[in-house]
Amino acid sequence: MHPPGFRNFLLLASSLFFAGLSAVPQSFSPSLRSWPGAACRLSRAESERRCRAPGQPPGAALCHGRGRCDCGVCICHVTEPGMFFGPLCECHEWVCETYDGSTCAGTCHCGRCKCDNSDGSGLVYGKFCECDDRECIDDETEEICGGHGKCYCGNCYCKAGWHGDKCEFQCDITPWESKRRCTSPDGKICSNRGTCVCGECTCHDVDPTGDWGDIHGDTCECDERDCRAVYDRYSDDFCSGHGQCNCGRCDCKAGWYGKKCEHPQSCTLSAEESIRKCQGSSDLPCSGRGKCECGKCTCYPPGDRRVYGKTCECDDRRCEDLDGVVCGGHGTCSCGRCVCERGWFGKLCQHPRKCNMTEEQSKNLCESADGILCSGKGSCHCGKCICSAEEWYISGEFCDCDDRDCDKHDGLVCTGNGICSCGNCECWDGWNGNACEIWLGSEYP
């Protein structure tokens, strides 16, 4: 058994031996000195040039600052706990940094990761050889991302209209339609909070439970984190405890106001009295089109003069068709009802009283695909169907739509914030949701 001092001496000696061998460049010749201790046959400038890294100017560090230059040859320092080596002392055995728990995904050589690209493909790369684009190769086509995308560090980024881990699936809708479906009311794709795949948004949810999370909505437009004074994903303390969070906006309880219901409100009216004043003759406070505060209504959208009245009872948006034309261009709107010019009639003044076609021509235009006149739920006038007034919910070009299929909120079809178009709510600006119940416009005044 050798004493510890002897083992340390052997370790140091072997290190010096190998360091000396590796420090000698191929061009080194013993003849640079005539005999040991003799003067160097190289000039000082030439000796230093041989000890500098290629491309380094005169005056730069010799032997990378890790050794001394002896007649054009680097004699590397041997220090504990490491060791420098290489013709110019450029290598250190511990220079390779760690990545993901391992030194390098390839081979650590002279302080740098050498990636395994023996096939010459160059698909493995990165400072730690952490990127392997072979993961992007489609098993069937043997192409990168199936030929429908680009690979970045082992992940496929698909072209429009394609999806899947390797872009192997094609959408059944056009890229433009996909983009349209994923566009949020503010014009952003998935509200910049999700990823659009074939017209559907996958929201970047931050809820650790995996349940319905803080970011949701068809276009990820709702962010419940905005309802919290200080965001804590494990807390349900919404709206300072004084309101309800509705798609990232706080609906405050009576007696509280503020963006997060953080301010108490001084109102002499009781909650019941306040609601009664805001309700008027309607079944809902502010006719379902505004916010009631201390007996006074603030109509939505703020600043929109089409919604007005003491209890927001007038909504001139009801006089507009889906293209925004008021009363068909043949009348004026008064508190949400069209007053038609002479010679025109209809809910939106869309029907002329005089017709320049025969009854036969008119009926042909009113027949639906099954050959029934106005689906049996209306009458034909001048080539257009007039749906039965007794059945308020019947609509559509051929009276083939049932507006009862439109979603309701607070008992109102499309919450009174949109038009029911053949069973689907077409929301007015600033509103969203299946029943147009979510306000996404500017802040409440």
Side-chain angles (χ1 to χ4, degrees):
M1 182 71 67
H2 294 292
F6 180 75
R7 287 200 302 271
N8 292 339
F9 171 78
L10 288 178
L11 177 62
L12 180 59
S14 60
S15 298
L16 284 168
F17 175 76
F18 287 111
L21 287 179
S22 60
V24 179
Q26 294 180 354
S27 60
F28 173 74
S29 170
S31 62
L32 294 178
R33 293 180 185 273
S34 299
W35 59 85
C40 180
R41 296 170 61 183
L42 297 176
S43 67
R44 181 177 180 181
E46 177 62 19
S47 175
E48 291 182 352
R49 184 189 68 78
R50 295 191 182 192
C51 290
R52 276 194 302 270
Q56 292 296 309
L62 302 179
C63 305
H64 287 83
R66 298 167 179 166
R68 62 182 178 84
C69 183
D70 182 18
C71 197
V73 177
C74 284
I75 307 298
C76 303
H77 298 314
V78 179
T79 57
E80 292 296 339
M83 177 180 66
F84 298 110
F85 59 97
L88 298 174
C89 306
E90 69 274 21
C91 299
H92 188 290
E93 60 183 358
W94 292 334
V95 169
C96 274
E97 300 176 45
T98 58
Y99 169 78
D100 199 22
S102 58
T103 303
C104 120
T107 303
C108 185
H109 176 74
C110 193
R112 293 185 179 181
C113 259
K114 278 195 171 183
C115 305
D116 182 15
N117 284 302
S118 55
D119 56 359
S121 63
L123 295 177
V124 184
Y125 57 95
K127 184 178 180 181
F128 306 99
C129 303
E130 72 276 16
C131 295
D132 189 349
D133 284 358
R134 293 174 299 185
E135 297 292 331
C136 294
I137 298 176
D138 187 278
D139 294 334
E140 294 184 4
T141 64
E142 296 185 351
E143 290 185 89
I144 297 290
C145 301
H148 307 297
K150 291 186 177 180
C151 185
Y152 297 98
C153 202
N155 294 298
C156 281
Y157 293 84
C158 306
K159 294 179 181 177
W162 294 86
H163 66 104
D165 291 340
K166 297 178 181 177
C167 308
E168 67 271 34
F169 301 116
Q170 188 173 16
C171 300
D172 56 1
I173 58 176
T174 65
W176 307 111
E177 176 64 16
S178 175
K179 182 179 179 180
R180 186 191 70 79
R181 293 184 187 182
C182 289
T183 301
S184 57
D186 58 4
K188 299 174 183 176
I189 303 298
C190 300
S191 306
N192 286 347
R193 302 187 189 108
T195 304
C196 180
V197 177
C198 292
E200 294 186 1
C201 286
T202 301
C203 303
H204 299 324
D205 197 356
V206 294
D207 183 4
T209 65
D211 299 329
W212 187 39
D214 295 296
I215 299 175
H216 59 92
D218 291 341
T219 57
C220 308
E221 69 276 7
C222 300
D223 191 344
E224 306 293 348
R225 296 174 297 179
D226 294 337
C227 290
R228 294 170 172 154
V230 178
Y231 179 64
D232 178 1
R233 66 181 185 175
Y234 296 98
S235 170
D236 290 327
D237 184 21
F238 293 106
C239 306
S240 307
H242 306 300
Q244 183 176 354
C245 187
N246 184 10
C247 192
R249 296 180 183 273
C250 285
D251 290 332
C252 302
K253 296 178 182 177
W256 294 88
Y257 73 100
K259 187 176 180 181
K260 297 178 181 177
C261 306
E262 68 271 30
H263 301 299
Q265 190 176 51
S266 56
C267 180
T268 57
L269 299 176
S270 66
E272 292 76 13
E273 288 175 324
S274 176
I275 291 176
R276 188 166 58 250
K277 281 197 169 189
C278 289
Q279 196 164 333
S281 59
S282 173
D283 294 332
L284 295 171
C286 303
S287 305
R289 303 186 190 102
K291 186 175 185 180
C292 181
E293 293 179 323
C294 200
K296 292 183 179 180
C297 288
T298 300
C299 303
Y300 303 154
D304 192 336
R305 295 183 178 181
R306 295 174 299 176
V307 184
Y308 56 96
K310 187 177 180 180
T311 59
C312 306
E313 68 274 14
C314 297
D315 189 350
D316 286 354
R317 296 173 300 181
R318 294 187 174 278
C319 295
E320 300 176 3
D321 60 17
L322 291 175
D323 295 323
V325 179
V326 177
C327 299
H330 307 295
T332 57
C333 187
S334 176
C335 197
R337 293 180 179 273
C338 284
V339 180
C340 302
E341 298 172 354
R342 181 175 294 181
W344 294 86
F345 72 101
K347 185 179 179 182
L348 297 176
C349 306
Q350 72 270 40
H351 300 297
R353 292 194 180 276
K354 291 184 179 181
C355 185
N356 296 325
M357 63 177 66
T358 65
E359 185 176 351
E360 188 65 27
Q361 290 174 325
S362 176
K363 286 184 177 179
N364 286 337
L365 293 173
C366 288
E367 287 184 357
S368 55
D370 56 8
I372 301 176
L373 194 71
C374 299
S375 304
K377 299 175 183 177
S379 59
C380 182
H381 175 75
C382 204
K384 291 187 177 181
C385 288
I386 302 175
C387 302
S388 172
E390 295 178 0
E391 297 175 297
W392 63 267
Y393 47 84
I394 300 300
S395 65
E397 185 180 359
F398 299 104
C399 302
D400 51 346
C401 297
D402 190 336
D403 285 353
R404 292 176 297 184
D405 292 336
C406 277
D407 290 307
K408 293 182 179 181
H409 186 70
D410 288 336
L412 292 176
V413 172
C414 301
T415 324
N417 300 317
I419 298 175
C420 183
S421 176
C422 210
N424 293 298
C425 288
E426 297 284 346
C427 304
W428 286 312
D429 289 343
W431 293 94
N432 197 18
N434 292 333
C436 306
E437 76 280 14
I438 300 172
W439 169 245
L440 292 177
S442 58
E443 296 292 334
Y444 302 136

